[in-house]
Amino acid sequence: MTSSSAGTVHLAVYDTFADWETGYATAHLTQNGYTVRTVGLSREPVTTMGGLRVQPDLALDELRPQDSTLLILTGAAGWDTGETLAPFARAARTFLDAGVPVAAICGATAGLAREGLLDDRAHTSAVSFYLAATGYVGGERYVEVDAVTDPGADGTGRLITAGPTEPVAFAREVFALLGVYDEKKLDAWYRLFHDSDASAYEVLQGE
């Protein structure tokens, strides 16, 4: 853990967002010196799928890539029931075009697919046919893994995607991208939280 600020990570929040999907990522980022700020469509409170009420720190129109280290998008019912959350997918495009990474899990991957952001990037999601239903043309770049990071190209930002049952693998990709842990500790962190491997705790403690 470090007390100095390592950067600001922005977490998109909206009604019914799946609060458990980013809990590992945001908790351990905060413990390692990152500031996590929430971003809503407005500054009005939202209610998570778990029934928690969240007051966004800023509105989406206040969000700028140059002020951020990473934008995280979670799943929510709104990704598949209209265009309400489409502005967050457009924000993701702005981030990636500016060379700032984006991490999307669950239904947010469908939002990125509809925005055309997965057409030429390696990606994953819940299942391939879930994304195919969006009409996107990136099916050949779909990868059957828990979580994947596309390295970006020509100055674009890196993109992490994961399925809804993989919050630990999602967090692992975030930590790897940001360099939160070295390779040995990252492996230990994953073994501890994904596999309940108690021996990995000693590695994390530097022993």
Side-chain angles (χ1 to χ4, degrees):
M1 184 183 300
T2 177
S3 59
S4 60
S5 176
T8 299
V9 170
H10 287 92
L11 171 65
V13 295
Y14 21 76
D15 284 331
T16 77
F17 90 81
D19 34 12
W20 67 90
E21 292 177 344
T22 60
Y24 287 100
T26 55
H28 290 273
L29 287 172
T30 299
Q31 290 176 28
N32 282 278
Y34 286 83
T35 298
V36 176
R37 301 196 72 200
T38 51
V39 185
L41 285 170
S42 70
R43 288 186 177 233
E44 291 299 310
V46 300
T47 303
T48 74
M49 198 172 291
L52 303 180
R53 192 169 172 83
V54 177
Q55 176 77 55
D57 293 313
L58 68 160
L60 187 57
D61 62 8
E62 301 174 89
L63 178 65
R64 303 186 306 169
Q66 59 265 39
D67 297 330
S68 187
T69 303
L70 173 71
L71 173 62
I72 299 176
L73 304 175
T74 72
W79 288 113
D80 297 316
T81 56
E83 296 295 315
T84 302
L85 300 184
F88 286 101
R90 291 193 289 271
R93 177 180 291 281
T94 300
F95 268 60
L96 293 171
D97 287 347
V100 181
V102 172
I105 185 170
C106 189
T109 61
L112 298 191
R114 294 186 183 93
E115 181 64 19
L117 295 176
L118 305 185
D119 291 346
D120 56 2
R121 293 178 171 90
H123 61 276
T124 193
S125 184
V127 287
S128 59
F129 56 81
Y130 170 63
L131 292 185
T134 68
Y136 87 132
V137 297
E140 292 186 354
R141 302 301 304 275
Y142 188 90
V143 186
E144 292 283 359
V145 293
D146 296 340
V148 63
T149 300
D150 182 87
D154 301 324
T156 61
R158 291 168 288 176
L159 175 64
I160 295 169
T161 49
T165 61
E166 300 299 336
V168 179
F170 182 69
R172 178 195 60 199
E173 296 298 306
V174 168
F175 302 154
L177 184 149
L178 296 179
V180 175
Y181 299 114
D182 62 32
E183 186 174 348
K184 182 178 180 181
K185 285 193 173 183
L186 182 61
D187 174 71
W189 184 91
Y190 185 75
R191 287 189 289 112
L192 178 62
F193 288 97
H194 187 267
D195 304 325
S196 299
D197 182 351
S199 69
Y201 181 78
E202 294 182 356
V203 178
L204 284 174
Q205 296 304 304
E207 299 177 6

